[in-house]
Amino acid sequence: MGCFFSKKRKAEKESQPQGEEEPPKQYSWDQREKVDPKDYMFSGLKDETVGRLPGKVAGQQFLIQDCENCNIYIFDHSATVTIDDCTNCIIFLGPVKGSVFFRNCRDCKCALACQQFRVRDCRKLEVFLCCATQPIIESSTNIKFGCFQWYYPELAFQFKDAGLSIFNNTWSNIHDFTPVSGELNWSLLPEDAVVQDHVPLPTTEELKAVRVSTEANRSIIPISRGQRQKSSDESCLVVLFAGDYTIANARKLIDEVLSLPWSLMEMVL
């Protein structure tokens, strides 16, 4: 069989007209859309408001570096996001499938959702966070955390595309790799902190087209108290078994609970 095809291919090659080159082979990866790294990067910006609209990142990796006094909004899901050497910036990140890593940043205010959150060599950050795993800080000081509170129409689908659950949020369960005896390198923002006072909505006409709301009752992520001190010793554990309507039932239950004088501490679904 091998000889038969070998001879056939040889015969086809010999029968090819002289001077006519065989067309190059086409592979599936040759037909993929070319990715320009510059489309997934903000670098060296100062005093600017920039961003990406829904559908413009589509799960790619993103890099933000060397930015100062900037407002940056990524209204799409990403694979990973790295933020290096940024000062006095406002940053919003849509759902990130993997990690968000801040390095050597200071005086930044952020709202973001991710699978893994890490901070190293940073100081004075305020982060409204949704994180599926334990957030980690290292060699950093004055890092403040609050619960993610944000809405725009495409956000729920972006959580799904990033493989993140809106109910898995360990935003306040911080692990400090480099604790200092007698000091606390991180704290929780006041429970009544208004997200928009820290991470304001975009002001450019292009980004204002995204219909954003920071109202608590519209947030994609249910607002939880996290590790804050309980106001009562009474508590209740609710277990929902997986099914076709689990998410809808969980959302309905949470809305009803929050309409009562109760507090939502933590969630895992």
Side-chain angles (χ1 to χ4, degrees):
M1 182 70 72
C3 293
F4 172 78
F5 281 110
S6 177
K7 290 180 179 179
K8 182 178 179 181
R9 289 180 59 84
K10 183 177 179 181
E12 289 175 350
K13 189 171 182 180
E14 289 176 349
S15 64
Q16 190 173 351
Q18 292 291 331
E20 183 177 331
E21 295 185 0
E22 185 176 352
K25 294 181 179 179
Q26 291 291 321
Y27 299 97
S28 59
W29 52 83
D30 293 327
Q31 300 174 18
R32 293 177 183 170
E33 186 177 353
K34 301 299 182 182
V35 174
D36 187 348
K38 294 181 180 179
D39 293 335
Y40 307 98
M41 174 190 303
F42 290 129
S43 179
L45 304 181
K46 185 175 182 179
D47 302 320
E48 294 190 40
T49 295
V50 294
R52 291 288 184 268
L53 295 173
K56 295 300 183 181
V57 179
Q60 297 290 335
Q61 298 181 19
F62 210 96
L63 172 64
I64 302 171
Q65 63 182 9
D66 299 315
C67 294
E68 183 179 355
N69 300 324
C70 290
N71 292 0
I72 299 170
Y73 302 87
I74 308 298
F75 291 121
D76 205 0
H77 66 102
S78 312
T80 63
V81 178
T82 303
I83 303 169
D84 290 335
D85 303 297
C86 290
T87 303
N88 197 31
C89 289
I90 302 294
I91 300 174
F92 172 83
L93 302 177
V96 180
K97 185 175 184 178
S99 65
V100 172
F101 198 0
F102 281 80
R103 298 182 294 194
N104 197 33
C105 296
R106 61 184 178 88
D107 297 297
C108 292
K109 300 178 180 180
C110 320
L112 60 100
C114 60
Q115 175 72 23
Q116 183 184 52
F117 179 80
R118 295 187 62 191
V119 171
R120 190 176 70 196
D121 298 321
C122 295
R123 63 183 177 89
K124 202 176 179 182
L125 303 186
E126 296 177 359
V127 185
F128 290 87
L129 179 65
C130 174
C131 189
T133 58
Q134 186 176 32
I136 294 172
I137 68 172
E138 180 180 359
S139 302
S140 300
T141 59
N142 200 8
I143 313 299
K144 298 182 179 181
F145 292 90
C147 184
F148 182 95
Q149 184 176 315
W150 208 271
Y151 167 85
Y152 53 88
E154 299 85 355
L155 187 54
F157 296 103
Q158 293 171 2
F159 265 89
K160 184 176 180 181
D161 289 338
L164 299 179
S165 168
I166 63 173
F167 300 108
N168 289 357
N169 190 6
T170 63
W171 66 271
S172 65
N173 186 23
I174 314 301
H175 178 70
D176 187 354
F177 265 126
T178 53
V180 178
S181 179
E183 298 181 14
L184 190 61
N185 293 321
W186 63 273
S187 61
L188 302 185
L189 288 163
E191 192 169 0
D192 60 355
V194 179
V195 176
Q196 198 167 329
D197 291 344
H198 299 260
V199 184
L201 303 186
T203 56
T204 64
E205 290 302 318
E206 178 188 30
L207 297 176
K208 284 168 63 176
V210 181
R211 293 178 292 151
V212 175
S213 172
T214 59
E215 296 177 11
N217 62 351
R218 299 195 67 191
S219 177
I220 289 292
I221 301 298
I223 309 304
S224 61
R225 299 189 73 241
Q227 301 292 316
R228 292 189 177 98
Q229 185 175 355
K230 297 180 181 180
S231 57
S232 170
D233 291 333
E234 296 182 358
S235 62
C236 177
L237 172 65
V238 178
V239 178
L240 297 177
F241 294 97
D244 295 336
Y245 304 103
T246 303
I247 292 179
N249 289 338
R251 185 83 245 192
K252 182 179 180 181
L253 175 63
I254 290 169
D255 291 342
E256 291 180 357
V257 166
L258 295 180
S259 68
L260 301 171
W262 294 359
S263 297
L264 184 64
M265 301 306 293
E266 290 188 353
M267 302 165 296
V268 177
L269 182 63

